[in-house]
Amino acid sequence: MLKKGGNKMENDIGVVGMAVMGSNLALNMADHGAAVAVYNYTPDLTEKFIAEEKHEKITAYYELEAFVSSLKRPRKIMLMIMAGAPVDMMLEQLLPFLAVGDVVIDGGNSYYGDTQRRFERCQAEGIHFCGVGISGGAAGARFGPAIMPGGSKEGYGEIKGFYEAIAAKAEDGKPCCAYIGAGGAGHFVKMVHNGIEYADMQLIAEAYLLLKHVGHFTNREIADVFRLWNQGELKSFLIATAVEVFAADDDLGTGQLIDKIADCAGQKGTGRWTSIEAMRLGVDISLITAACNARVMSNASGRAKGQKSLVRPTGGKGGANLVETIRKSLYTAKIVAYAQGFSLYKKASEAYGWDLDYGRIAAIFRAGCIIRAEFLNKITAAYETDPALDNLLFAPFFLKRVNEGADSLRQIVSTAVCAGVPIPAYANAVEYLDAYASPQVGANVIQGLRDYFGAHTYRRLDRDGAFHYEWGLHD
């Protein structure tokens, strides 16, 4: 059973933070044979954990020094606490008790730049710091998440066995866990994973809007559509979850719960960080950014006024093949979302010297995590065939599917615009494909304007070099 700890060095790993994720990870590790020490800054969560759970491999501590002293060397301590200042505060409290070679692991949703800074801070003290992205929510933490470890490679060598043991296992039996890269690489990969997750959920929400407001399907009919989709190439955790969300009865009234949930969505910041980093590195992830903006607009104070005062269109009728057209559009737009996310991985890998293995990253996502899907096997295969692939769109499988689905995507966007149904993610998917496919995107006009007012120069199509035109002299 859970017990109050003494000072003997008897525990294999320690977990700081006894909220849902920390407590479930501790139980998961203990289930796999690790002797786990647990500690929380305030004793209430530890006491609650002790009252609710019993595990002979877990020992609770109420003093930080005793908690650290109980760990076998090199000590391995995992922080499962709120990102930001709390991580820095806890790290500073821990360092006086640590020795050269000890390992500190941050398993929260920390900003990768903060992880890089902490990695360098600990490195100067001879401490290994690992920023570890974890996906799968509470259930994943308890029974097998996807794990994205980064930071000290030597430190990861000390904790590898623990994390490969508790990680989700893909269909081929391989753990969904692999070393990502130095510094903040692990948290960067998790951050972009969350951005893709935003896009995935937004595309599902837009499919729901189209079925409901263009096709006039009932909630149960929409659930049936998604259930059918989950038996094919769209099979994924989020599609399966959507079936449950659409079909759930209202536990406090009549009808389905989905109709009683307020039409506003929250966010914790990782999607926004992804968009900011893409702007910083110069990568177009417009579909992912559109998904972030959709959450912002869902909370806009002017929506009630807009619903009363703005004129809505009356066109946009769904055709006989509406369901199949939406399905093809969803799959096509999903390809775009992943192509954008993996393009950001590629740019960051080059900028920060991480040498990311894109196929392995996709393989980590195959089980345990929120975006797990059949689709990911195709991404892994694409990068195994061509590790230097510039954009996932141009892998033969995805190029074929995008070309097959582009007309459906364009038709759905047109239908939605005419019906007044907001579909920012689908619309941005079309724009992204058109930007690649069009022989002209208007940048020549922009560069002409820039040269006119700022003498920024321009390149010509017919000769090499940079040119400036004396605009006023030729009028």
Side-chain angles (χ1 to χ4, degrees), residues 194-244:
N194 284 20
I196 295 170
E197 180 184 311
Y198 275 49
D200 240 342
M201 288 192 282
Q202 182 63 29
L203 290 169
I204 287 170
E206 292 177 16
Y208 157 80
L209 290 176
L210 288 160
L211 290 167
K212 186 177 183 70
H213 297 290
V214 176
H216 305 293
F217 284 60
T218 66
N219 294 324
R220 293 200 182 280
E221 288 171 339
I222 295 172
D224 288 341
V225 168
F226 272 74
R227 187 176 290 108
L228 182 62
W229 288 351
N230 199 48
Q231 296 172 17
E233 61 187 4
L234 282 170
K235 183 179 180 181
S236 68
F237 171 77
L238 284 172
I239 293 289
T241 301
V243 173
E244 303 299 321

